[in-house]
Amino acid sequence: MKILLIEDERQLSKSILTYLKSEKYSCDLAENFETAQEKLELHEYDCILLDITLPDGNGLQLLKQLKENKKSDGVIIISAKNSLDDKISGLQLGADDYLAKPFHLSELGARISAVIRRKHFKGNSSITVNDLEIHSEAKLISFQGKPIDFTRKEFDILLYLAVNKNRIISKNAIAEHIAEDNIQFFDNFDFLYAHIKNIKKKLAAAGAQDCIKSVYGMGYKLEAL
């Protein structure tokens, strides 16, 4: 699951990113309105943590742009502004939740999990595709009840494809999803090919059907049978 943190308080953003990465989330950071706008135009996120007060703009304007562009990223407003008007404005614009500063990181983690469950898993913490059960919070994938040992990157790829089952996902989109902000360091997709190969090998060893299809010139698709 990929998270975008839009927050200009450096000490707070450092604490949040450290916590989220320990919880096995992929995380991007935007410290101002302009950077956040660029990232939102280029990427899709499972959850956005949005501060209202930014040095060069208002976070609610970013939320408004998201909804105008019909993007489905989950949004949790995190702000020191705890007035009823701010909360109502954010929720009316389409935010999924509102968390006032200061807050416990464990509470933030619970709110993120709840938003992701509602967005992708219909309120559950797992999805099942072709006898593969994928547990988003436990970071576990099992086939017919038996766990399969995947690396974190392999898990992220398989979950990303499962959430978008029966849709062709471009190689570039998958690469960006697992590489976080380091995509500029890769000049080819060899690392992605290696991960896909390992996933297929592990699925076959577990007796699972090969449901990841390569679509020539486009990307990959997980076929729900």
Side-chain angles (χ1 to χ4, degrees):
M1 297 284 102
K2 191 166 186 176
I3 310 293
L4 173 62
L5 172 60
I6 303 173
E7 172 60 65
D8 65 317
E9 294 181 35
R10 292 196 173 183
Q11 191 58 46
L12 177 59
S13 63
K14 182 179 179 181
S15 297
I16 292 175
L17 290 176
T18 299
Y19 170 76
L20 293 179
K21 289 180 179 180
S22 75
E23 293 294 307
K24 310 304 181 186
Y25 289 109
S26 279
C27 303
D28 288 350
L29 172 65
E31 295 182 300
N32 55 56
F33 186 97
E34 183 180 0
T35 303
Q37 202 168 38
E38 291 174 355
K39 289 184 179 296
L40 291 172
E41 288 174 357
L42 291 172
H43 310 291
E44 290 187 5
Y45 294 93
D46 297 289
C47 189
I48 298 165
L49 306 178
L50 175 63
D51 188 11
I52 292 178
T53 306
L54 298 169
D56 55 344
N58 189 302
L60 293 180
Q61 185 60 35
L62 290 170
L63 178 57
K64 185 178 179 181
Q65 291 174 9
L66 271 176
K67 300 310 172 182
E68 288 175 348
N69 294 330
K70 302 187 183 304
K71 299 194 75 172
S72 60
D73 317 53
V75 178
I76 299 175
I77 293 175
I78 54 170
S79 178
K81 289 187 174 183
N82 195 26
S83 73
L84 182 60
D85 288 344
D86 289 323
K87 184 177 293 188
I88 291 174
S89 296
L91 295 174
Q92 285 181 336
L93 284 171
D96 297 276
D97 203 349
Y98 188 109
L99 187 59
K101 301 175 185 176
F103 49 79
H104 291 290
L105 292 173
S106 57
E107 181 180 2
L108 176 63
R111 301 281 187 108
I112 292 171
S113 295
V115 167
I116 291 174
R117 283 199 302 271
R118 290 198 298 269
K119 290 288 183 181
H120 294 311
F121 303 100
K122 299 180 180 179
N124 300 311
S125 60
S126 66
I127 56 174
T128 301
V129 182
N130 304 340
D131 286 335
L132 285 174
E133 189 168 9
I134 306 174
H135 301 266
S136 63
E137 294 179 15
K139 306 295 186 291
L140 174 69
I141 298 177
S142 59
F143 175 67
Q144 297 181 346
K146 297 180 180 180
I148 306 174
D149 185 21
F150 287 106
T151 66
R152 176 189 162 182
K153 294 296 186 186
E154 292 164 0
F155 175 89
D156 288 345
I157 292 171
L158 196 47
L159 176 60
Y160 188 45
L161 291 173
V163 166
N164 294 282
K165 63 185 178 183
N166 295 322
R167 292 175 54 195
I168 299 172
I169 307 299
S170 72
K171 289 181 286 187
N172 194 63
I174 300 171
E176 287 183 348
H177 183 75
I178 64 172
E180 304 175 29
D181 281 340
N182 298 316
I183 188 65
Q184 68 270 23
F185 298 117
F186 300 101
D187 55 6
N188 58 52
F189 292 107
D190 287 349
F191 74 105
L192 175 59
Y193 301 146
H195 285 312
I196 293 289
K197 182 179 178 180
N198 287 337
I199 292 171
K200 287 174 169 282
K201 184 177 179 180
K202 291 178 180 180
L203 289 175
Q209 189 169 357
D210 183 7
C211 53
I212 301 177
K213 305 302 178 184
S214 176
V215 183
Y216 182 74
M218 299 180 71
Y220 295 95
K221 176 174 68 171
L222 190 150
E223 293 185 344
L225 306 176

